């Protein structure tokens, strides 16, 4: 039933008619000043929205800027405590870890080694700060000599043999103290396999954040430099999703949910806002993350360096759009800058 009301001319109108009515209605009335705009603002970014990715390397005293990702660094273990304290001070609740191993091999052994780079990083972060949510990326491409996210046979990426390794990696991260494991290999059944492996090892309380709808995207380009993980043959399109598909994303997410994912993700973010919105509406009960990936960061950084865009404004606008589309959490290389910018605007 529509509400009946009377307009200033004494005519009875439905609310829909009133909403349509210029000059009675003037949306600009609520845009007159910044305090007014703040009052009626529908979406807000806060430090609690962010998860900050960290790239960890072997060695000592290393804090080396990644060429294609200005402002993002390769960090050695001894540099993590300072990083963790900075994040805590900024109020950023979580990190996600990526490791660069000392050696690569066909199945990526360091990925599940007790003294692997990520396992060491988890322990160092845990010792430095108590209340940081430590998430780990569970995948194989940084660790394998062929650069694919699974075990290979010839040029085939094998699904089921990969599941066993992913389970081992997740258990090894949980054993080192990870709070959340995030499988990103896009192997079918990976969430179920990891849940089973974690439960069998006694890690019943370790949540899984599925990279549920992860597309075969060219926007991962700079990350592959950062993580030294480009595939040595072919590409990832036999396991990551076709960017053309929306219905399939909902199917992927539904599968992750049925396999026991505690949180779901859409990746990349900026070119996939429609997928984020649909995921939010289709799966209202689960926390939804979006990964604002390396290429999304680097392209705006590059344009800003050329003086063509205002980095702070385009970055905050992009992050706001991701949240407005429905993301609860944003994995972003801008996390620290964004919190500082938001702070300076208060
Ligand atoms: C591992 C992984 C990738 C990213 C996150 N986890 C690379 C890939 O799938 O090729 C990309 C993150 C980014 O671009 O920022 N599979």
């Amino acid at each position: 039933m529509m509400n009946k009301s009377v307009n200033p001319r004494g005519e009875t109108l439905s609310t829909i008619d009133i909403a349509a009515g210029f000059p009675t209605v003037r949306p600009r009335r609520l845009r007159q000043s910044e305090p007014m705009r703040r009052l009626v603002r529908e979406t807000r970014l806060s430090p609690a929205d962010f998860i900050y990715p960290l790239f960890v390397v072997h060695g000592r005293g290393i804090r080396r800027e990644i060429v294609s990702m200005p402002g993002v660094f390769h960090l050695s273990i001894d540099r993590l405590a300072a990083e963790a304290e900075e994040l805590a001070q900024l109020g950023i609740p979580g990190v996600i870890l990526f490791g660069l191993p000392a050696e690569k091999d066909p199945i990526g052994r360091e990925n599940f080694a007790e003294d692997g780079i990520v396992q060491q990083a988890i322990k160092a972060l845990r010792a430095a700060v108590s209340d940081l949510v430590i998430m780990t990326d569970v995948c194989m491409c940084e660790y394998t000599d062929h650069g694919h996210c699974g075990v290979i046979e010839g040029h085939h990426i094998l699904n089921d043999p990969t599941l066993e390794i992913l389970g081992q990696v997740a258990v090894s991260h949980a054993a080192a103290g990870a709070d959340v494991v995030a499988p990103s290999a896009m192997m079918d059944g990976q969430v179920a396999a990891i849940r089973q492996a974690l439960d069998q090892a006694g890690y019943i309380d370790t949540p899984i954040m599925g990279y549920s709808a992860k597309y075969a995207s060219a926007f991962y380009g700079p990350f592959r430099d950062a993580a030294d993980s480009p595939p040595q043959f072919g590409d990832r399109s036999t396991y990551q999703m076709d960017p053309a598909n929306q219905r399939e994303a909902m199917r992927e997410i539904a599968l992750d949910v049925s396999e026991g994912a505690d949180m779901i993700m859409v990746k990349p973010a900026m070119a996939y806002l429609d997928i984020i919105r649909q995921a939010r509406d289709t799966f209202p009960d689960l926390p939804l993350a979006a990964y604002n990936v390396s290429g999304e960061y680097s392209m705006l950084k590059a344009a800003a360096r050329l003086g063509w865009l205002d980095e702070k404004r385009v970055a905050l606008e992009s992050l706001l759009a991701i949240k407005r589309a429905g993301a609860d959490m944003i994995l972003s290389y801008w996390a620290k800058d964004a919190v500082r910018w938001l702070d300076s605007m208060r």
Side-chain angles (χ1 to χ4, degrees):
M1 275 274 287
M2 260 184 274
N3 278 328
K4 292 287 175 189
S5 303
V6 175
N7 77 7
R9 290 183 296 278
E11 299 156 347
T12 302
L13 295 169
S14 72
T15 46
I16 285 183
D17 294 329
I18 289 171
F22 174 84
T24 308
V25 176
R26 291 178 181 272
R28 289 185 56 192
R29 287 185 194 122
L30 299 182
R31 294 180 201 143
Q32 291 183 70
S33 68
E34 177 54 18
M36 183 74 87
R37 291 189 293 271
R38 271 178 71 205
L39 273 177
V40 300
R41 190 157 290 150
E42 298 174 34
T43 312
R44 269 175 238 279
L45 289 167
S46 92
D49 297 333
F50 294 110
I51 297 165
Y52 187 62
L54 290 175
F55 296 99
V56 193
V57 296
H58 286 282
R60 286 190 58 79
I62 297 171
R63 189 167 189 275
R64 192 172 50 227
E65 193 166 32
I66 296 158
V67 177
S68 55
M69 300 176 71
V72 181
F73 296 83
H74 281 141
L75 297 171
S76 53
I77 301 289
D78 55 323
R79 294 297 186 97
L80 290 179
E83 191 72 25
E85 278 156 28
E86 188 186 1
L87 291 164
Q89 236 161 34
L90 290 168
I92 295 171
V95 292
I96 184 155
L97 298 179
F98 297 94
L100 283 81
E103 273 172 40
K104 296 175 190 267
D105 61 70
I107 64 160
R109 292 183 191 284
E110 190 180 319
N111 209 356
F112 46 88
E114 214 183 303
D115 60 350
I117 187 71
V118 162
Q119 289 79 357
Q120 289 184 45
I122 296 166
K123 289 173 198 158
L125 286 168
R126 181 64 70 222
V129 285
S130 53
D131 56 358
L132 185 67
V133 177
I134 302 171
M135 305 186 168
T136 60
D137 185 81
V138 176
C139 194
M140 286 176 60
C141 56
E142 296 101 310
Y143 294 86
T144 51
D145 50 14
H146 46 77
H148 277 288
C149 305
V151 195
I152 60 168
E153 192 174 82
H155 278 191
H156 288 288
I157 290 86
L158 303 178
N159 195 86
D160 298 10
T162 301
L163 298 180
E164 198 183 320
I165 297 177
L166 294 175
Q168 255 178 284
V169 173
V171 168
S172 136
H173 290 172
D179 295 304
V180 177
V181 294
S184 72
M186 284 302 277
M187 294 296 126
D188 294 335
Q190 63 183 9
V191 169
I194 288 172
R195 184 72 272 157
Q196 193 185 3
L198 287 172
D199 288 356
Q200 271 171 9
Y203 299 106
I204 56 168
D205 285 328
T206 304
I208 299 173
M209 177 168 77
Y211 280 71
S212 311
K214 176 174 175 179
Y215 287 88
S217 171
F219 284 105
Y220 307 152
F223 174 92
R224 289 175 190 174
D225 291 344
D228 186 27
S229 63
Q232 298 302 306
F233 62 87
D235 57 29
R236 304 209 199 288
S237 49
T238 67
Y239 42 105
Q240 298 181 349
M241 283 184 54
D242 184 337
N245 293 357
Q246 183 181 59
R247 293 191 305 261
E248 190 188 3
M250 298 309 113
R251 190 161 182 245
E252 281 283 4
I253 297 171
L255 282 165
D256 273 14
V257 173
S258 75
E259 290 175 25
D262 300 278
M263 298 182 261
I264 54 180
M265 192 198 299
V266 172
K267 176 187 173 188
M270 281 164 59
Y272 295 80
L273 296 178
D274 57 329
I275 308 296
I276 297 173
R277 167 50 53 198
Q278 201 179 352
R280 171 73 301 151
D281 293 344
T282 311
F283 303 95
D285 300 335
L286 272 96
L288 172 65
Y291 202 137
N292 174 217
V293 302
S294 55
E296 301 175 338
Y297 174 83
S298 298
M299 67 176 171
L300 298 189
K301 274 273 180 196
R305 287 199 158 187
L306 288 167
W308 294 348
L309 287 173
D310 177 335
E311 184 189 356
K312 170 178 160 180
R313 294 188 57 202
V314 290
L316 288 177
E317 186 176 331
S318 304
L319 294 166
L320 188 73
I322 295 166
K323 189 161 181 196
R324 190 192 63 227
D328 300 304
M329 296 168 265
I330 307 173
L331 296 86
S332 178
Y333 305 101
W334 273 303
K336 293 195 292 184
D337 289 335
V339 171
R340 288 196 194 99
W341 289 328
L342 291 168
D343 229 38
S344 70
M345 284 158 53
R346 268 206 312 220

